[in-house]
Amino acid sequence: MAYLLANDGVSGKAGSAFMVKNGRNIELFGIKKFESNAEIQTADFPVVGALVDQTKVKGIKYSGTMTLYYGTPEFLEILSEYKRNGRFPEINLQVTNDDKGSTVGKQTVAIYGVTLSKIPIAMLDDSADYLQEEIPFTFTDYEPLRTFNAPAQLGGK
């Protein structure tokens, strides 16, 4: 049985993330964690005479969260822009995994039509060494711009 070698495990720290707001690239230099997901929406499909309810896929909902060190001014600017003129800016994200020690290479995914669900306005915490903000979001589409390669070698062969 083949298995992934430890050298090809992708480091969670090796990569970068950018936000594109109104056509301007903004590096998310204080990012700690990023995760985006596709939630498969289903509906039960019961049929008379069948003891098992079947399941049918009816759609997909995209969502995610990003955790950053507090102090990235662009998020408060987005909220202020919406408050001032009622227009939420167009936001896209681009996330790259790039572990140079792995033979699987680099992966870059673009995430389009991002709507931030919660934006911190001000924070204090007497027990925190460093303030962090968690920002949940939804999005309308994604595109893999570059995907990982198969590992150069597998163990167990």
Side-chain angles (χ1 to χ4, degrees):
M1 181 174 159
Y3 54 88
L4 184 67
L5 295 172
N7 287 343
D8 285 326
V10 178
S11 170
K13 295 179 180 183
S16 60
F18 287 85
M19 176 171 58
V20 181
K21 182 182 100 176
N22 295 331
R24 195 175 115 241
N25 284 343
I26 302 158
E27 185 171 9
L28 298 175
F29 51 82
I31 198 154
K32 288 192 59 171
K33 184 177 180 181
F34 183 93
E35 183 175 336
S36 59
N37 300 292
E39 179 183 330
I40 310 302
Q41 298 175 323
T42 61
D44 288 342
F45 188 80
V47 178
V48 172
L51 296 177
V52 176
D53 283 352
Q54 301 173 65
T55 303
K56 181 174 182 171
V57 174
K58 64 177 188 171
I60 301 171
K61 181 178 180 181
Y62 299 125
S63 64
T65 57
M66 54 183 148
T67 304
L68 303 98
Y69 287 111
Y70 181 64
T72 304
E74 280 75 21
F75 298 111
L76 194 54
E77 288 171 11
I78 289 166
L79 183 61
S80 297
E81 181 179 332
Y82 180 74
K83 179 184 163 195
R84 276 192 309 273
N85 62 27
R87 184 183 162 278
F88 201 86
E90 181 180 326
I91 299 171
N92 299 316
L93 300 169
Q94 184 171 308
V95 178
T96 300
N97 298 93
D98 188 12
D99 183 349
K100 306 255 189 265
S102 173
T103 65
V104 299
K106 183 189 288 194
Q107 177 167 285
T108 301
V109 177
I111 298 169
Y112 303 114
V114 174
T115 301
L116 305 176
S117 306
K118 181 179 163 188
I119 301 172
I121 295 174
M123 298 175 79
L124 291 171
D125 184 343
D126 73 340
S127 65
D129 290 332
Y130 303 101
L131 290 174
Q132 301 175 47
E133 53 189 342
E134 184 173 298
I135 301 177
F137 60 91
T138 58
F139 56 101
T140 58
D141 203 2
Y142 75 97
E143 181 178 5
L145 303 177
R146 180 178 183 164
T147 59
F148 291 124
N149 304 311
Q153 181 180 349
L154 295 172
K157 287 191 168 191

